[in-house]
Amino acid sequence: MAQRKIADSGLIGVLLLIAVGLIALAGPRLYAHGQTISAEHILWSVDQGDLARNAPQVERARVAFSKAGAVGVDSGYFAIREGGSLFTQLNSIDATELPEALAALRATYTAALTQRPMYARAWPRLALVSLREAQDPEELHRFFEASYILGPEDYRLRVMRVWLGLRMWDTLSEALQRKVRKDVQALWQPRLKKDLAELYFYASFEHRVLIRSLMSSEGDAKDVARLTQRLLDEGYF
């Protein structure tokens, strides 16, 4: 009986040592994860417009995610969220601040791809940066093509690629033009028609003509114009 108690005590001691070891290993990760939760709240505040994107809290959030990455917590998430926030604000940025905003967007998505090279949405957004900077046509095409390699059927990428493709049309190869045509036609389905109509609404006259020419039929070309007008009348835009 005494021997059994000694054996049980020894087992309990071993289990306690294992538990302490696991806590020692997991503790830094748990603490780092807690810090990233606070960092996510900071990014949410930026998204909501309650906090400027260059506020000191944003830098603290970036540092928190960087430290989290050092102990094995995925720090690419911060870059993805920050990139999404910057991308959302891009259209409302003053022209004088645009070069800085584009540089920040490029740096953020490049950092995200360092952590998550398969993050498909980064590629068309980098293509948009390259298009707006208008400095490296070869880079622009590389980014644009990468979005087809990593997310050929992703409807969110289709919307971005059509937007880009309309503006790049004359420089695209026939193969890429066919892919843009496929994207346009793929967006013309019941649950995505409004996305195509929104692209059509904000497009220039030249790009509207191009969208209609890429539809499967003349009837679809007329219908996208009708749908856009109906959504406008309903206050959708």
Side-chain angles (χ1 to χ4, degrees), residues 64-226:
F65 269 94
S66 178
K67 290 181 177 179
V71 294
V73 177
D74 183 5
S75 60
Y77 182 72
F78 177 83
I80 291 170
R81 284 291 304 272
E82 185 179 29
S85 177
L86 289 169
F87 187 77
T88 301
Q89 298 174 41
L90 198 59
N91 289 332
S92 60
I93 289 176
D94 187 83
T96 58
E97 298 177 350
L98 186 59
E100 180 184 351
L102 291 173
L105 196 58
R106 176 186 287 274
T108 299
Y109 277 118
T110 300
L113 289 170
T114 300
Q115 294 284 331
R116 299 186 186 182
M118 301 301 288
Y119 180 58
R121 271 184 279 177
W123 294 105
R125 291 178 177 184
L126 281 172
L128 180 143
V129 170
S130 189
L131 177 69
R132 298 288 291 270
E133 290 177 338
Q135 294 179 358
D136 192 341
E138 291 185 5
E139 175 194 71
L140 170 60
H141 281 75
R142 286 198 306 272
F143 291 157
F144 188 64
E145 289 187 66
S147 72
Y148 280 106
I149 295 170
L150 293 174
E153 306 298 328
D154 188 323
Y155 83 90
R156 292 163 297 190
L157 269 64
R158 289 191 192 279
V159 173
M160 288 187 278
R161 286 195 302 252
V162 170
W163 188 94
L164 288 162
L166 294 174
R167 289 154 180 78
M168 298 169 61
W169 187 258
D170 291 337
T171 68
L172 295 178
S173 65
E174 290 185 8
L176 280 174
Q177 287 182 349
R178 286 194 296 270
K179 289 181 178 181
V180 174
R181 180 187 297 274
K182 182 180 178 181
D183 281 340
V184 169
Q185 295 175 5
L187 290 174
W188 191 242
Q189 56 176 286
R191 72 184 186 90
L192 300 177
K193 284 184 176 181
K194 288 184 179 180
D195 291 308
L196 185 60
E198 186 169 357
L199 284 169
Y200 187 85
F201 176 76
Y202 289 107
S204 65
F205 175 78
E206 177 186 0
H207 290 156
R208 287 186 177 190
V209 171
L210 181 54
I211 290 174
R212 289 199 299 270
S213 73
L214 298 176
M215 302 295 288
S216 297
S217 66
E218 183 62 30
D220 286 347
K222 292 179 180 178
D223 286 343
V224 71
R226 293 192 187 104

